[in-house]
Amino acid sequence: MTPACEQRLDQGLDRLGIAIDTQARERLLALLALLHKWNRAYNLTAVRSAEEMVTRHLLDSASVMPLVRGPRLLDVGSGPGLPGLVLAILDPQLAVTLLDSNGKKVRFQRQAVLELGLDNVTPVQARVEAYRVEAPFEQIISRAFASLSDFVELTEPLLAADGEWLAMKGRAAEQESQALPASIALVERRELHVPGDEASRQLLRLRRAGNILTGSREGSRS
């Protein structure tokens, strides 16, 4: 990757308050190079410039890291593996499952996992309606999957009893949150300030309404 990409990544992570080691940095840059290469042939994302990919994909994904605790995270509608691949690189203790129905995007996920040596990531090609697991996830995240109501409804069977949803949203966040059923509680709405991107971004934390009084576990990951 070009020095400009490296500088944008380093400065962006610093502004986000995220410290990484050399291996994580190399993996993020390798992911960027692989995404840029595959995108020319397979049209995985509308973002063409590698420098813009740093901002729109790597840093945007990294911006939610403070609220990711796992230990098991499902990334629904993951596309080429975002934000899941970035989060898995930033926290090797996080067990990430990437779920998408698009074959070429899941093939990219698998190639990235192989080339980057990410043994904490599991790519799955399936429709969310048909996907079932023996052990539900503590957190389920979505970056650009569906409306908030659809996201919650489709993934509720996959969420642990005391788990939470993390929805990365833009300007539609307010309207979509008002359409949630009474059984779902909005625990937190946090502005996401992605370095180099002026677009309105928010992260919504949601739980089943009956669980919001059971005690917060934020910061419990070790």
Side-chain angles (χ1 to χ4, degrees):
M1 279 291 101
T2 66
C5 288
E6 295 188 31
Q7 183 180 45
R8 182 175 290 208
L9 177 64
D10 292 340
Q11 292 178 349
L13 290 174
D14 184 63
R15 287 179 58 187
L16 288 172
I18 296 175
I20 60 172
D21 58 22
T22 300
Q23 183 183 52
R25 182 179 184 273
E26 290 177 351
R27 280 174 164 169
L28 287 175
L29 291 171
L31 173 61
L32 174 65
L34 192 63
L35 181 60
H36 189 249
K37 174 183 176 181
W38 274 58
N39 198 48
R40 290 197 295 263
Y42 298 105
N43 195 31
L44 300 176
T45 167
V47 181
R48 300 298 178 185
S49 159
E51 289 185 32
E52 280 301 300
M53 285 181 178
V54 173
T55 300
R56 302 272 298 278
H57 293 324
L58 300 190
L59 296 179
D60 184 71
S61 296
S63 68
V64 304
M65 193 66 209
L67 289 176
V68 174
R69 55 173 174 79
R72 298 175 66 249
L73 175 74
L74 174 64
D75 179 6
V76 175
S78 185
L82 302 166
L85 286 172
V86 173
L87 299 174
I89 291 171
L90 294 177
D91 184 0
Q93 302 304 312
L94 188 67
V96 178
T97 297
L98 309 173
L99 181 64
D100 202 279
S101 62
N102 185 299
K104 67 180 180 181
K105 293 180 179 179
V106 176
R107 285 194 294 275
F108 172 79
Q109 296 173 12
R110 291 172 178 155
Q111 189 65 28
V113 166
L114 178 65
E115 291 196 20
L116 276 57
L118 299 175
D119 57 9
N120 60 329
V121 179
T122 303
V124 175
Q125 183 180 349
R127 294 184 61 84
V128 64
E129 300 93 329
Y131 183 56
R132 293 294 179 265
V133 291
E134 292 184 8
F137 296 87
E138 288 80 14
Q139 288 184 307
I140 300 178
I141 195 167
S142 170
R143 184 169 179 249
F145 170 62
S147 71
L148 206 53
S149 294
D150 286 346
F151 170 46
V152 170
E153 179 181 355
L154 291 170
T155 60
E156 187 163 14
L158 306 172
L159 187 70
D162 60 346
E164 66 181 13
W165 291 275
L166 301 175
M168 301 172 71
K169 286 290 179 181
R171 294 180 178 178
E174 180 70 26
Q175 182 178 357
E176 290 187 18
S177 62
Q178 292 177 357
L180 286 169
S183 60
I184 305 300
L186 175 60
V187 178
E188 180 181 0
R189 183 196 307 273
R190 181 176 295 199
E191 293 289 334
L192 296 176
H193 300 287
V194 180
D197 189 352
E198 300 302 320
S200 175
R201 300 287 283 151
Q202 298 182 40
L203 182 70
L204 307 182
R205 289 179 55 231
L206 308 167
R207 289 188 180 182
R208 297 181 180 95
N211 292 336
I212 61 174
L213 299 179
T214 61
S216 173
R217 295 195 296 168
E218 281 88 297
S220 64
R221 289 169 58 231
S222 59

